[in-house]
Amino acid sequence: AQKITQTQPGMFVQEKEAVTLDCTYDTSDPSYGLFWYKQPSSGEMIFLIYQGSYDQQNATEGRYSLNFQKARKSANLVISASQLGDSAMYFCAMREVNRDDKIIFGKGTRLHILP
Amino acid sequence: EADIYQTPRYLVIGTGKKITLECSQTMGHDKMYWYQQDPGMELHLIHYSYGVNSTEKGDLSSESTVSRIRTEHFPLTLESARPSHTSQYLCASSDSSDGALGEKLFFGSGTQLSVL
């Protein structure tokens, strides 16, 4: 069964608009961490944002915020005021403490920002 | 900016050759990982190490092997390359002192391997 589900294979968004990338996860572990990474066409993986399962507030990092809905097991990434440079693959990932601390990734969403 | 380096960036090689993909980090991180990624697909963990002389297989079965003789170095070796090994290989490291949950991965630029 998929641990991390990203249901949007691709998205097209107009520049300057906000965009939400969906991510749901599956775990029975009470302690876990959720991450979002960006992968531009050059191939490197860039860390964007982190949310811990015990964090009370949604994480924010500049234009990135994580909409964490624990009961729904949802960790959507919100990018405000999108820019052309935001065009990339975006991966949601999870670490479960009781799973040897390994980070597992979703299938990703390819985001295209239109001028 | 993360200090983790992978070489070569691109490698095209014939079937049956032995290859080693290099990965080095200068951050003193104790944990290192190898992920395999096909184009446009998710990353699959193939090997990881929690310190010197520690290596474990990941969730995706791989014919490759790894070694961790020094903290900073985590090479991946394929004894006999095959076309099915064609993929991108990403090396990553993390620092366990960051705290178990929030410990994030720092990635290298990847090696794109093509086996003919």
Side-chain angles (χ1 to χ4, degrees):
Chain A
Q2 281 285 337
K3 285 273 192 178
I4 299 286
T5 302
Q6 295 181 252
T7 57
Q8 307 149 310
M11 287 185 70
F12 289 83
V13 173
Q14 206 67 41
E15 190 181 8
K16 298 187 176 62
E17 288 184 354
V19 57
T20 298
L21 305 181
D22 296 339
C23 173
T24 57
Y25 58 92
D26 180 26
T27 180
S28 56
D29 192 333
S31 298
Y32 53 91
L34 297 159
F35 304 80
W36 276 92
Y37 283 84
K38 173 184 178 181
Q39 188 178 41
S41 56
S42 51
E44 75 271 29
M45 293 283 286
I46 302 166
F47 166 78
L48 295 178
I49 197 165
Y50 159 79
Q51 178 87 39
S53 59
Y54 295 118
D55 293 343
Q56 296 294 318
Q57 294 191 330
N58 288 342
T60 60
E61 291 281 352
R63 292 188 300 114
Y64 304 108
S65 60
L66 199 152
N67 184 0
F68 181 46
Q69 298 187 44
K70 194 170 183 176
R72 294 187 179 183
K73 294 188 176 178
S74 165
N76 298 340
L77 176 71
V78 180
I79 306 174
S80 63
S82 58
Q83 302 170 356
L84 295 178
D86 294 333
S87 294
M89 280 288 284
Y90 288 81
F91 291 95
C92 180
M94 176 172 67
R95 163 182 276 118
E96 298 167 285
V97 171
N98 291 333
R99 246 191 119 249
D100 295 334
D101 286 340
K102 291 181 286 187
I103 289 183
I104 53 173
F105 288 80
K107 291 184 183 294
T109 295
R110 182 167 295 281
L111 176 64
H112 303 269
I113 305 297
L114 304 172
Chain B
E1 193 168 311
D3 296 319
I4 178 164
Y5 307 101
Q6 289 186 245
T7 57
R9 184 73 178 89
Y10 301 94
L11 179 61
V12 181
I13 201 160
T15 297
K17 299 290 187 184
K18 177 180 178 179
I19 59 169
T20 297
L21 307 185
E22 300 288 348
C23 176
S24 294
Q25 50 98 3
T26 59
M27 297 171 283
H29 287 174
D30 49 348
K31 297 181 181 178
M32 296 189 75
Y33 310 80
W34 277 103
Y35 285 87
Q36 184 175 341
Q37 183 187 28
D38 291 328
M41 301 296 286
E42 70 265 48
L43 283 71
H44 292 287
L45 182 66
I46 52 174
H47 298 284
Y48 61 101
S49 166
Y50 286 167
V52 171
N53 294 326
S54 147
T55 60
E56 301 287 344
K57 289 193 176 295
D59 298 322
L60 181 68
S61 175
S62 174
E63 293 166 348
S64 58
T65 59
V66 292
S67 63
R68 189 90 184 276
I69 299 172
R70 303 196 315 266
T71 298
E72 63 271 22
H73 195 213
F74 192 42
L76 181 145
T77 298
L78 274 166
E79 290 293 332
S80 179
R82 293 206 302 269
S84 60
H85 297 138
T86 295
S87 190
Q88 170 157 252
Y89 293 83
L90 287 159
C91 181
S93 70
S94 66
D95 184 356
S96 60
S97 66
D98 282 347
L101 288 182
E103 188 182 314
K104 61 181 181 281
L105 297 177
F106 292 90
F107 282 86
S109 298
T111 293
Q112 182 60 52
L113 173 64
S114 296
V115 184
L116 306 178

